[in-house]
Amino acid sequence: TPAYSPQELEAAVQQRWQDQQTFKASARPSGEKFYALAMFPYPSGQLHMGHVRNYSIADAIARYQRMLGKEVMQPMGWDAFGLPAENAALKHGLAPAQWTMDNIAHMRGQLQRLGLSYDWSREFATCTPDYYRWEQWLFVKLWEKGLVYQKLSTVNWDPVDQTVLANEQVVDGCGWRSGAPVERREIVQYFLRITAYAEELLSGLDTLSEGWPEQVLTMQRNWIGRSEGAEIHFPLATSDGVIKVFTTRPDTLMGATYLAVAPEHPLAIQAAENSTELAAFLERCRHGSVSEASIETQEKEGHPLGLNVQHPLTGVELPVWTANFVLMGYGEGAVMSVPAHDQRDFEFARKYGLPIRAVIQAEGVATDGEAMTEAYTGSGTLFNSGTFDGLANDEAKSHITAAVAARGLGQKTVNFRLRDWGISRQRYWGTPIPMIHCPHCGVVPVPERDLPVILPTHYQLKDPRSPLLDDPEFTQVACPQCGAAARRETDTMDTFVESSWYYARFACPDAEQMLDQRAADWLPVDQYVGGVEHAVLHLLYARFFNRLLRDVGLLPADGAHDEPFRHLLTQGMVLKDGSKMSKSKGNTVDPQGLIDRYGADTARLFILFAAPPEQHLEWSDSAVEGAYRFLNRFWRLVHEYGATPPALPAELSAAAADLRRAVHQCIDRVSRNMSGRYHFNVAIAAIMELTNSLMKVPADAPADLRAVLGEGLRALTLLLAPFAPHIAEVLWEKLGQSGVIGHTSWPVADAGALRCDTVTLVIQINGKLRERMDLPADADNASVEQRVLADPAMQHHLEGKTVRKVIIVPGRLVNVVAG
Ligand code: ANZ
Ligand code: ZN
């Protein structure tokens, strides 16, 4: 037997796959299609163990589906724009494009070494104009449709480096390079109107309940955050106009004792003109990070605006405050404060001596607001609420909303937590936003004939400031409308834009438009595999983009193409010593070393065997060894057996029939754990178990046993092919089989072979185990009952008792009820 030497074997098999284009998918599927996709990587430089896991899982699925006879398309590419390239360029003095392309070349080699069944002819990197030009094209289309708009919004500004910082470049409130405290700045940015799709993105989740993890669906629902409530208007006491608030608790309207507006609210800014103290407060609110999480945890602070509003139903005057926890971007940027029934308002009222008025009564809850020690947020009955007294608070919501609406001071509304997606980045390494600023015409989109706006790649970065800003060749441009000297937009797009539609472009990577008919043919993705860290942003943006593509006519509006990903598998992390493998913890295992030493098949088999795909996987050197030893054993077994199986005789001895049953039980078990649920670890365990049984067949065994052994080895090789494809390919040939194993049909368990001649039944008397009996598997209930009662041991147990009833669970158990 030749030694198992994975390095040579795998190289040869990969060469063959490449020469024969084994995994190239047809342009348009003709049979049943299966689109398998793993989240494409950021070209950071090195493959890590998380990648290996992600791609091994997706590839096992792709290979299995291919063996089921489906036309499988599994592409791969590069999510190639982003900040790390700029950071690396600053550190190593390389151009970001060069750094990115070098990394891609290296990582492509690593992926190829893993033997993943990709159709490499579809590969692309998102930083190439052939890709991002369509993003620019779509941007202009959406601008024309009003789905892209400009809005003033806040960014992190580094006053020393004179640059905008991404959130991840702010460390403890300071710039990552300068160490200077970060300031907030308001600048004009572009937004994608994802909120126009909020309702559809929410209801679409219901159609995914079969194919997506419940956890991800819940996270998306919460992120979209639909709230039903009311918009209520509070007229200003001494001037025209109203302050609008959004509330989910209109039932508490009679308990509102003040209003609070966001520090960025126009009324707060206006009031600050007459109060230096207020102006100073608003200025303080401007500092600090812009993230919502930090706003939630900071100390609640506020300041009065020195003006009043009228209560919409009673006319009573209420003071208006500004508070640092009111978000300008949510609802109306203002809240009616009900300290008795909202804990945040309660704490604020106590801190600043504002009145507390209870209006919901429930058992054990104080009715005197001032005596409360915390807000009561539960349900109850209204009181202190005039004509609404006595209503259940849930009921009161619609009554009070109606009363407000009757006065023209509000209506029922739905609010979403979801905000429009700000896609402007003041960064260099990204897709240029195709807009031009003209002193006469304002902002003008780049006409289609002038697309793409190509990102220059020749700069050597010296500081974090985008080199586009200082490059007149890029910025100076004639206005497409009036011809005047104008300035090109220097902001680039959020890199999440690229990953929002790449899955569709893979279907038609060379299309002369953004997408062509092939996208409709291949989409949706049948199985998407990736990390749960993308549960919200990426997966929500892609669902949004898929609908945008539909609504500009690039995907059919047939209901079957609304969602991009039919099934989603979120794989668990790779852990070592109980914590996530990461560079910062210094506990990484380099996959390259693993592959160099044991080969790709061992790496793949280990990673799929060590845990179910969705669960965390604990790294173990001995389990890697175990996978390697198993492949060695299997290699020897097939070689010792050779390629000349005797034919399977019509009649099998009992031993041969038993072994054949084990073979088909294994096929059955592996198949059941593959279809739909992908319990690879269980499947692989079954393969290993059968291998051990087959190893026990002696070389000089009778012909029928040898024949079954041959059948078993062929089955095992097929079953192993999705996990350890290289060795399977070679052993398939060794077994005298022709054709590529990856395109061979998945084995089917033979019902006849599975059938067992006898079954062991558990015999109980009054529910207590008494005997076990071997009976013919096809015996009917009457004969089972007769044989059980006639059994001498049973007759002994039943002596002096009367049999009342015999309950039979076929194939399993007989319970004799006697007394
Ligand atoms: C009065 C009230 C009484 C409220 C009460 C709650 C309890 P969700 O469920 O997240 O939609 N709110 C409204 N706009 C806000 C803003 N821009 N910034 C901060 N808070 C805001 O939350 C809706 C509730 O959050 C609203 O209902 C409002 O407070 C507050 F017993 O109005 B409520
Ligand atoms: Zn112009």
Side-chain angles (χ1 to χ4, degrees), residues 45-90:
Q46 294 286 339
L47 224 55
H48 57 64
M49 217 46 95
H51 291 129
V52 176
R53 188 170 195 203
N54 190 188
Y55 304 138
S56 298
I57 292 169
D59 194 46
I61 295 172
R63 286 176 179 274
Y64 166 68
Q65 294 289 341
R66 205 177 277 116
M67 290 175 80
L68 289 183
K70 297 184 191 164
E71 256 188 76
V72 173
M73 193 258 282
Q74 190 186 202
M76 184 38 76
W78 310 95
D79 189 12
F81 273 137
L83 199 55
E86 289 181 52
N87 294 348
L90 284 173

Side-chain angles (χ1 to χ4, degrees), residues 40 69-70 100 200 217 245 262 265 300 343 355 374 396 399 472 520 560 565 612 622 624 652 659 805:
F40 70 160
K70 297 184 191 164
T100 305
E200 200 195 330
L217 296 174
V245 307
H265 195 282
K300 316 265 174 288
Q343 188 57 24
E374 59 178 1
H399 288 258
F565 312 121
S622 63
V624 174
L652 294 180
L659 188 64
K805 202 167 161 193

Side-chain angles (χ1 to χ4, degrees), residues 7 121 181 411 447 458 469 581 588 647 713 778 795:
Q7 307 306 339
S121 71
Q411 69 269 325
H458 61 274
L469 288 161
M581 267 193 195
T588 55
L713 290 176
D778 53 5
Q795 288 194 337

Side-chain angles (χ1 to χ4, degrees), residues 255-268:
T257 56
Y258 63 99
L259 294 198
V261 303
E264 301 89 356
H265 195 282
L267 279 175

Side-chain angles (χ1 to χ4, degrees), residues 302-317:
H303 200 282
L305 296 190
L307 62 108
N308 289 346
V309 289
Q310 288 169 350
H311 191 282
L313 296 184
T314 64
V316 169
E317 291 200 4

Side-chain angles (χ1 to χ4, degrees), residues 26 386 433:
S26 48
I433 292 179

Side-chain angles (χ1 to χ4, degrees), residues 436-442 444 478-486:
I436 290 168
H437 300 271
C438 170
H440 313 296
C441 313
V444 182
C479 169
Q481 256 170 41
C482 72

